Amino acid sequence: MTAKSTAEIAADQAAFWNGPGGERWLAAYGRIQRSLAGFSREALTAAAASPGEHVIDVGCGTGATTAELARAVGPTGHVLGIDISETLLAAARAHRVDNATFVLGDAATHPFRPQSYDLVFSRLGVMFFAGPVPAFRNFRQALKSGGRLVFICWRAPSENPWWLLPVRAAQPFLPPLPRPGPEDPGPFAFADRHRIERILKEAGFTGARIAPVDLPAFLGPSVGEIIEGATRFGPLATPFAEADPAVAAEAKAAIAAALEPHLTPDGISLPGACWLVRATLH
Ligand SMILES: C[S@@+](CC[C@H](N)C(=O)[O-])C[C@H]1O[C@@H](n2cnc3c(N)ncnc32)[C@H](O)[C@@H]1O
């Protein structure tokens, strides 16, 4: 099989986020916001957006971080939220934030105004580029001298039991998950910090600081709701859709057995692990 071109990979990502990826993200958004609250706080604190600043929120999705950044930069500043998913941008626009603009586009190639931004920020939106080096070069060109790049991305599945535990439990029963190659886009594409360092260096960001952030990630209020969610959102949604009902029932029972020991009066949270990445343009 011939390898896909950058344009084909970008088109696949756009189709995914305008199709099942966007729909599932939206359907699970309440739970996702709660799961990501701590990671979000760490990233926004590190970004330290301040009044009057001009900011890009890359892969802004439904715009929750765009709205927070817009509050931080105030009426004299501005935030540009960019995303390839019209499905998610429609939800973002509902925020009606005066000093934010939402744009449909591929952040990797979008013609941002050169040397005009103080901060390029992203919460989990930079791991899906067909060509990450040109994408980060594009962000570098958009930043003013002294501007900051701040983003958060997942570490490996093995360090993220909130993701791995249900997958491991269900795996013997369901069709296998696709195995992305080391350079393929996806939620764990930036798990290897050496890969992040290499991409940023090649894109012209020197002296990046990459620090682990370890926090509990909320899966859901009950075992039943988590399993119901797993059939609709996340890595198991497609395998569940393809499995016959008897096999799906076995997979659900296996997930329930794995989750039950972790149930607390507040539902279930399991460890989550991100990299917080910071670089300044000199
Ligand atoms: C995991 S979601 C994170 C969304 C949002 N940042 C949040 O934390 O709620 C990844 C987002 O990146 C967007 N995305 C993926 N590739 C993109 C690209 N090349 N340009 C712009 N957005 C992209 C997706 O549409 C999706 O909204």
Side-chain angles (χ1 to χ4, degrees):
M1 203 173 69
T2 48
K4 286 191 174 182
S5 69
T6 303
E8 285 168 328
I9 296 171
D12 285 351
Q13 286 295 315
F16 175 74
W17 288 105
N18 281 288
E23 282 155 25
R24 290 171 190 168
W25 185 264
L26 207 51
Y29 198 63
R31 201 268 304 153
I32 289 173
Q33 267 293 79
R34 185 164 165 192
S35 300
L36 298 181
F39 293 105
S40 217
R41 219 171 18 250
E42 293 282 331
L44 287 164
T45 302
S50 58
E53 286 195 323
H54 287 248
V55 179
I56 301 171
D57 188 1
V58 175
C60 64
T62 57
T65 51
T66 318
E68 291 214 39
L69 290 162
R71 266 191 291 280
V73 301
T76 57
H78 185 266
V79 186
L80 176 68
I82 180 162
D83 204 284
I84 43 164
S85 171
E86 182 51 43
T87 314
L88 297 176
L89 283 178
R93 291 193 189 99
H95 285 294
R96 299 197 178 283
V97 186
D98 285 343
N99 57 338
T101 309
F102 292 102
V103 174
L104 178 67
D106 183 342
T109 53
H110 184 81
F112 298 111
R113 216 164 357 107
Q115 294 165 28
S116 300
Y117 293 89
D118 303 282
L119 168 67
V120 172
F121 175 88
S122 185
R123 182 180 83 171
L124 306 175
V126 293
M127 304 89 88
F128 306 96
F129 301 127
V133 172
F136 280 92
R137 250 184 225 139
N138 197 31
F139 304 152
R140 184 169 59 78
Q141 280 162 9
L143 282 170
K144 298 172 183 169
S145 173
R148 290 111 58 211
L149 169 72
V150 178
F151 67 86
I152 200 152
C153 56
W154 294 116
R155 301 205 317 262
S158 57
E159 296 183 85
N160 280 288
W162 69 269
W163 187 92
L164 191 61
L165 185 130
V167 167
R168 269 225 173 111
Q171 203 93 99
F173 306 97
L174 296 177
L177 295 184
R179 288 179 156 274
E183 300 293 325
D184 288 344
F188 297 105
F190 277 21
D192 175 2
R193 65 176 295 157
H194 301 298
R195 179 165 191 252
I196 305 175
E197 275 162 7
R198 174 172 58 74
I199 289 167
L200 292 184
K201 204 165 156 203
E202 283 180 34
F205 287 101
T206 50
R209 285 172 293 156
I210 304 179
V213 179
D214 292 272
L215 289 167
F218 178 69
L219 267 87
S222 69
V223 170
E225 280 165 271
I226 296 168
I227 292 173
E228 201 273 323
T231 63
R232 294 191 296 119
F233 172 76
L236 296 174
T238 302
F240 264 120
E242 290 170 359
D244 76 59
V247 173
E250 283 187 284
K252 287 180 190 177
I255 300 177
L259 288 175
E260 261 148 21
H262 302 280
L263 186 61
T264 73
D266 291 327
I268 296 180
S269 293
L270 290 172
C274 279
W275 293 122
L276 173 61
V277 181
R278 282 177 268 197
T280 304
L281 196 65
H282 299 293

